[in-house]
Amino acid sequence: MDLAIAGKCALVTGASMGIGRAIAVALAKEGVKLAVVARRRDLLEQLQKETGKLAIIEQDFLAADAPQRIADAALAALVDKDGLFADVKGVFRGRDFGRATWTL
């Protein structure tokens, strides 16, 4: 299936296993430039061997600075002439991360 997203950028969290991994594999097959996040680097490296080039971000979401560290790493890895769009809303352990707005 061609979703016409080749060359676009994506950040996939929980990419070491389960649905996060499946999403990363599917996006890689579509030619999407990926940054993947999880706690277990070894599983992310295995994903990289299977899918090709991607940016690995080893990060535990329980860390207080996790959102900023992930954002910084993703921006460094993914930003190109097309930029990066992120619209993240969620509640994690009682903290509302709200909407992340980045100026490039």
Side-chain angles (χ1 to χ4, degrees):
M1 175 186 312
D2 182 8
L3 299 175
I5 56 175
K8 299 293 183 180
C9 299
L11 170 65
V12 180
T13 60
S16 61
M17 60 178 58
I19 194 162
R21 187 179 201 287
I23 290 168
V25 168
L27 290 173
K29 286 180 181 176
E30 290 291 323
V32 173
K33 185 176 178 183
L34 290 175
V36 293
V37 182
R39 292 181 306 235
R40 297 179 59 191
R41 182 174 196 83
D42 59 323
L43 295 177
L44 294 177
E45 288 172 348
Q46 180 61 40
L47 176 64
Q48 186 177 49
K49 287 178 186 174
E50 294 173 24
T51 61
K53 185 178 177 187
L54 51 80
I56 292 175
I57 304 170
E58 182 181 4
Q59 180 63 56
D60 185 345
F61 276 97
L62 294 177
D65 62 345
Q68 188 62 54
R69 292 184 74 176
I70 292 167
D72 290 345
L75 285 170
L78 297 177
V79 171
D80 57 17
K81 64 179 178 58
D82 296 324
L84 170 73
F85 172 77
D87 185 10
V88 181
K89 175 76 174 158
V91 177
F92 188 74
R93 295 193 88 202
R95 293 180 288 181
D96 184 355
F97 293 125
R99 175 175 241 144
T101 304
W102 301 327
T103 303
L104 304 177

